[in-house]
């Protein structure tokens, strides 16, 4: 595979594959090598509180490499620390899990520009950037969506995927139009299941995780010609299928 037409921005290890792994597999299978930019996968500077351990960077990087290899995607790491372990001289910027979904720390205001500048060098004239809607309002997802907005302002083509497993609300896609694409759900599950630490922490078992992912693919396929699909969002009035 020599052609890259899709750059997928993944706030954390797991976000791109959990949310768009079916399309990653389809692109790779057609000879169009996708690139996944994992933004927040670096070592942090916060105390190892129990709730922060699920974001342990080395484990998550290892899982990410295995999952993206399974998906057929090239992995690019920006190496920025996850908000859960982001701190200043040992003082965490976010003191509890709930804070991750609240007001952005003032020192994080510069991150969207930093991310946009790093990603811009990967883009050519025909490359599409895929960014999270930031459903759920996690601070790192909001940073990445803001970076995508900056890239769009510089002329990049941008569309948005639905962050699995957060609930999508109308405000998340205001001004955007839905489209659908057929997905390889078996390959999606195979790649997504490599994130063992997150599957265990958030779903309890692989069976529960797989059921949730398959249910989403079935739900998105309603009113399409396909058995399994992914819904994503674009600017403009079009509402259709992307084969």
């Amino acid at each position: 595979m020599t052609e890259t037409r899709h750059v997928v921005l993944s706030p954390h290890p797991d976000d791109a594959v959990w949310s768009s792994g079916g399309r990653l597999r389809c692109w790779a299978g057609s000879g169009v090598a996708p690139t996944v930019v994992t933004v927040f996968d670096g070592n942090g500077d916060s105390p190892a509180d129990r709730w922060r351990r699920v974001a342990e960077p080395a484990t998550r990087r290892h899982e990410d490499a295995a999952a993206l290899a399974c998906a057929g995607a090239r992995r690019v790491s920006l190496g920025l620390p996850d908000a859960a372990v982001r701190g200043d001289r040992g003082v965490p910027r976010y003191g509890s899990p709930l804070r991750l979904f609240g007001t952005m720390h003032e020192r994080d205001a510069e991150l969207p520009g930093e991310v946009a500048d790093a990603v811009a060098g990967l883009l050519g004239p025909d490359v599409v950037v895929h960014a999270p809607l930031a459903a759920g309002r996690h601070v790192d997802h909001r940073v990445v969506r803001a970076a995508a907005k900056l890239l769009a302002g510089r002329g990049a083509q941008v569309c948005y995927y639905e962050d699995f497993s957060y609930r999508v609300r109308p405000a998340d896609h205001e001004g955007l139009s839905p489209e659908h694409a057929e997905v390889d759900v078996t390959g999606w599950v195979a790649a997504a299941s490599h994130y063992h630490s997150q599957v265990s922490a958030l779903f309890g078992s692989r069976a529960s995780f797989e059921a949730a992912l398959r249910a989403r693919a079935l739900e998105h396929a309603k009113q399409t010609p396909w058995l399994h699909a992914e819904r994503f969002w674009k600017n403009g009035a079009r509402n259709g299928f992307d084969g």
Side-chain angles (χ1 to χ4, degrees):
M1 294 181 292
T2 59
E3 184 182 14
T4 298
R5 287 173 32 201
H6 301 281
V7 171
V8 185
L9 307 186
S10 187
H12 308 111
D14 76 38
D15 287 315
V17 176
W18 278 17
S19 303
S20 292
R23 282 198 292 161
L24 290 174
R25 288 277 299 209
C26 288
W27 292 331
S30 67
V32 179
T35 295
V36 171
V37 180
T38 305
V39 177
F40 295 105
D41 64 345
N43 296 327
D45 183 28
S46 285
D49 300 346
R50 183 174 179 180
W51 70 270
R52 301 182 201 276
R53 292 174 192 165
V54 75
E56 202 285 313
T59 297
R60 301 202 70 185
R61 288 192 296 266
H62 176 76
E63 293 172 346
D64 201 35
L68 291 174
C70 183
R74 172 191 175 210
R75 181 178 186 270
V76 173
S77 167
L78 294 193
L80 299 173
D82 186 314
V85 296
R86 201 149 61 236
D88 303 291
R89 298 183 179 180
V91 178
R93 294 187 186 179
Y94 299 93
S96 71
L98 287 178
R99 282 292 317 281
L100 298 174
F101 302 91
T103 303
M104 185 180 295
H105 192 281
E106 61 182 10
R107 296 202 63 180
D108 285 352
E110 62 195 31
L111 286 174
E114 184 177 344
V115 173
D117 289 344
V119 173
L122 301 172
L123 306 182
D126 298 320
V127 171
V128 179
V129 176
H130 303 262
L133 281 175
R137 305 292 296 160
H138 189 290
V139 62
D140 287 342
H141 291 235
R142 284 149 51 198
V143 165
V144 175
R145 179 163 182 175
K149 183 177 181 180
L150 292 174
L151 290 169
R154 301 177 191 179
Q157 302 177 64
V158 178
C159 65
Y160 299 90
Y161 61 80
E162 298 186 8
D163 321 50
F164 181 82
S165 58
Y166 294 108
R167 182 165 68 91
V168 176
R169 302 180 182 187
D172 298 325
H173 50 75
E174 184 176 358
L176 303 174
S177 297
E179 295 196 18
H180 297 77
E182 185 177 20
V183 297
D184 168 11
V185 74
T186 300
W188 188 356
V189 168
S193 297
H194 280 282
Y195 297 102
H196 305 291
S197 65
Q198 306 308 301
V199 168
S200 176
L202 300 178
F203 290 88
S205 70
R206 173 169 173 165
S208 296
F209 169 74
E210 181 174 339
L213 193 151
R214 287 184 178 275
R216 169 174 148 156
L218 287 168
E219 178 65 26
H220 284 182
K222 291 179 178 178
Q223 300 180 348
T224 80
W226 309 304
L227 179 60
H228 299 103
E230 180 191 338
R231 182 175 62 192
F232 57 101
W233 298 83
K234 285 185 172 182
N235 289 304
R238 183 184 173 199
N239 185 346
F241 307 133
D242 181 16

